[in-house]
Amino acid sequence: MRLRRNLVRTATLVTAVTLPLAFTPPASAATADIPDVLANALSSQVKGKNVKKHLDRFQQIADANGGNRAAGTPGYDASLAYVRDKLRRAGYKVSTTDVEFPVSWEEFSPSVLQQVTPEAKTYANPSDFLTVIDSSGGDVTAQIQVVDAVIPPPPAPNTSTAGCEAADFAGFVPGRIALIQRGTCPFVDKATNAKAAGAAGVIFFNEGQPGRTDPFSFDIREWRFGFPIVFASTAVGLDLADTPGTTVRLKVDAKTTVGQTKNLIADSLWGKKGEVVMAGAHLDSVTEGPGINDNGSGSAALLETALKLAYLPTKNKVRFAFWGAEELGLLGSDQYVAGLSQAERDKIRLYLNFDMVASKNDVTFLYDGDDSDAEGAGAGPAGSAEIEKLFEKFYGKRGLGFKGTDFDGRSDYGAFIAAGIPAGGIFTGAEGIKTAEEAAVFGGTADAPYDPCYHAACDSITNINAAALDRNSRAIGYATAFYAYDLSTIPDRDAASLARSAAATKRAPEDAAR
């Protein structure tokens, strides 16, 4: 019976998708755009009213589970089970990947920082240094190695780039403790580079300008470094850096309790295994509310797209991802990408991200793949500009407005673009304030938040803009279906991998000479 139902569904949808082709006038190969025709036909099947049925279910799940669908809670597990069941019934190959997240961090005794050589000296906690929250526990005695510090400190604040690049650790001796100056990039980036270089611990120190000399407490939001981390005053940092070969003891007595949740991954039965079109949305909410716009809207639209695309034989493999623990720091997508081999990453030709697509006071923001707005993080990896143009084509043909938004790292595309995978997507605004110019184009209320219930209990089924949900769901269906049939504008990932290998081979003799 299931086979019969699936055959009926397939025949019905194939008819709906291919019928427009029967009425397409003869065209030359140069003018025919079959992927566009197919994508538009599929898009017409992804309707807001059907997407809302999934949102209604997410609301029911939240209501039955303490008012939220946060990672690690029964509400999230029930949301995942709902999506998994729908996708399995549609014939997808469904799997999950584990996601770890910090539940709590506890420091059992004050951390210790002592200079062992060339003179014995104990630094005071908390006036000289403080433990970095989420630091791993550990007791290490080792030589200090200064990492690219600007000494004496530069006159302008937020100038030092110490530790921001892997190249800053050239010549770093594994097993030493990295001494890293505060500066332009996040502490987590510095510590990540230190771990890759083999550091046994990290001592950050403040940069040194007025107002930037004392230690302070902060959460590095990464608990898996496996070594102790503290933050010291400028005076302590300069003291430790003063004499080459200084040895210190660094002790942190702390523990992170780790919880676990899951990502849901669904692969289509059709398409080339080495040509993966990936689309994702985070499934979890914050603990404060049911998360129906953030991000039930993106998840529901993606689910409906997957259900409509399930029965169509596509040229390329399509992979749908429903991320866990996004609200805890993009953990689901970060850990997924980190767990892929380079060969598996190279199969992913592009990534489409949909996070909040039905904000009540919405603007249709498209990720600025070509950096035409010249703001923030810059352009995405090669192919991102073409993804942005495809979305612009969809909205432009329908007389709908759109506006660029920066790749600011606030959603799950971050790990993909960091891995060189082109990305794009739709976002309708969070706590930001709509301008008068935006209201003139998109309607709504100027000088008010895009989403008045962002990360709040009122992000419920009443917090959805039905018109935005409908048009953006159709755009999601269009873009996903288009790339399922046509990747001609997206650079080949295998070619990029070969280019990297060739470049590495050319560099090897120079590296050996140095």
Side-chain angles (χ1 to χ4, degrees):
M1 288 299 294
R2 176 179 290 185
L3 176 60
R4 182 179 297 174
R5 286 196 299 269
N6 285 351
L7 288 172
V8 171
R9 289 174 181 171
T10 302
T12 301
L13 191 52
V14 167
T15 300
V17 171
T18 59
L19 189 60
L21 297 178
F23 297 97
T24 304
S28 68
T31 59
D33 192 353
I34 302 304
D36 180 64
V37 173
L38 292 171
N40 276 303
L42 188 284
S43 171
S44 70
Q45 301 298 306
V46 183
K47 301 174 182 178
K49 65 180 183 180
N50 293 331
V51 176
K52 186 177 179 296
K53 293 177 183 178
H54 304 308
L55 292 178
D56 289 335
R57 183 61 186 135
F58 290 150
Q59 180 69 63
Q60 292 167 4
I61 288 170
D63 291 342
N65 291 281
N68 70 72
R69 301 180 303 104
T73 70
Y76 179 80
D77 294 343
S79 298
L80 187 144
Y82 171 75
V83 175
R84 179 175 54 201
D85 182 64
K86 290 284 187 182
L87 293 170
R88 278 180 175 168
R89 288 175 179 271
Y92 283 92
K93 181 182 178 182
V94 179
S95 61
T96 58
T97 63
D98 292 335
V99 182
E100 292 185 332
F101 63 92
V103 174
S104 63
W105 178 82
E106 185 177 3
E107 187 172 23
F108 302 103
S109 62
S111 52
V112 175
L113 179 58
Q114 297 172 323
Q115 184 179 153
V116 178
T117 63
E119 61 178 301
K121 185 184 298 186
T122 298
Y123 299 101
N125 182 342
S127 58
D128 289 334
F129 75 99
L130 288 164
T131 311
V132 171
I133 297 170
D134 271 340
S135 168
S136 301
D139 190 344
V140 181
T141 299
Q143 190 173 319
I144 288 287
Q145 186 159 341
V146 183
V147 178
D148 198 34
V150 182
I151 299 174
N158 208 32
T159 299
S160 173
T161 61
C164 294
E165 304 292 338
D168 294 342
F169 290 83
F172 189 89
V173 178
R176 289 184 178 175
I177 296 172
L179 182 64
I180 310 175
Q181 190 175 27
R182 181 189 181 189
T184 57
C185 68
F187 290 106
V188 67
D189 293 351
K190 298 170 183 281
T192 298
N193 290 330
K195 180 178 180 179
V202 168
I203 301 169
F204 295 119
F205 67 97
N206 215 337
E207 193 173 16
Q209 299 81 20
R212 294 169 68 87
T213 58
D214 295 333
F216 57 83
S217 180
F218 68 89
D219 189 343
I220 201 166
R221 301 185 67 85
E222 171 56 67
W223 68 100
R224 294 167 297 174
F225 287 119
F227 50 61
I229 308 174
V230 299
F231 182 57
S233 67
T234 305
V236 169
L238 296 179
D239 187 35
L240 293 175
D242 185 55
T243 304
T246 296
T247 300
V248 302
R249 180 191 180 204
L250 174 60
K251 177 186 176 184
V252 170
D253 183 18
K255 180 182 178 181
T256 299
T257 301
V258 176
Q260 194 171 80
T261 188
K262 293 182 182 296
N263 296 319
L264 181 65
I265 309 296
D267 279 3
S268 65
L269 299 181
W270 320 99
K272 300 176 183 177
K273 293 182 180 180
E275 305 287 342
V276 177
V277 174
M278 193 162 185
H282 77 85
L283 187 57
D284 61 317
S285 75
V286 293
T287 56
E288 289 80 3
I292 300 303
N293 184 42
D294 184 14
N295 181 40
S297 62
S299 295
L302 196 65
L303 174 59
E304 186 64 17
T305 295
L307 296 179
K308 290 297 185 287
L309 195 61
Y311 307 107
L312 295 179
T314 57
K315 179 180 178 181
N316 306 306
K317 179 75 68 178
V318 183
R319 179 174 299 161
F320 295 95
F322 296 83
W323 305 117
E326 188 271 356
E327 297 290 5
L328 300 176
L330 312 179
L331 300 181
S333 54
D334 279 355
Q335 291 176 32
Y336 174 81
V337 174
L340 296 175
S341 67
Q342 187 60 54
E344 287 299 318
R345 292 182 188 184
D346 284 342
K347 292 178 183 178
I348 302 173
R349 295 289 300 279
L350 59 87
Y351 173 72
L352 305 176
N353 192 71
F354 306 109
D355 189 353
M356 303 177 67
V357 299
S359 299
K360 200 77 172 178
N361 193 29
D362 75 305
V363 166
T364 303
F365 290 111
L366 306 178
Y367 291 116
D368 187 17
D370 60 2
D371 196 30
S372 55
D373 296 336
E375 292 183 3
S384 302
E386 286 68 25
I387 297 171
E388 182 185 13
K389 287 182 176 67
L390 187 76
F391 280 111
E392 289 175 350
K393 173 183 174 182
F394 176 87
Y395 289 102
K397 279 192 171 182
R398 290 157 178 78
L400 301 171
F402 53 83
K403 183 177 181 179
T405 188
D406 181 40
F407 277 125
D408 60 7
R410 285 187 60 171
S411 195
D412 292 298
Y413 58 80
F416 289 88
I417 61 177
I421 298 170
I426 305 166
F427 170 61
T428 54
E431 79 277 27
I433 303 300
K434 178 177 274 189
T435 66
E437 293 77 12
E438 290 169 344
V441 174
F442 299 97
T445 306
D447 301 320
Y450 302 115
D451 182 354
C453 291
Y454 176 66
H455 282 189
C458 60
D459 186 9
S460 65
I461 199 66
T462 61
N463 189 44
I464 290 296
N465 181 324
L469 183 68
D470 184 73
R471 65 174 174 269
N472 295 329
S473 295
R474 293 176 186 273
I476 292 169
Y478 173 84
T480 307
F482 183 92
Y483 286 122
Y485 291 104
D486 186 354
L487 285 167
S488 61
T489 62
I490 305 300
D492 183 69
R493 296 285 297 161
D494 293 331
S497 180
L498 291 172
R500 281 195 298 272
S501 298
T505 300
K506 291 179 181 178
R507 286 195 302 269
E510 297 178 13
D511 293 339
R514 285 197 297 269

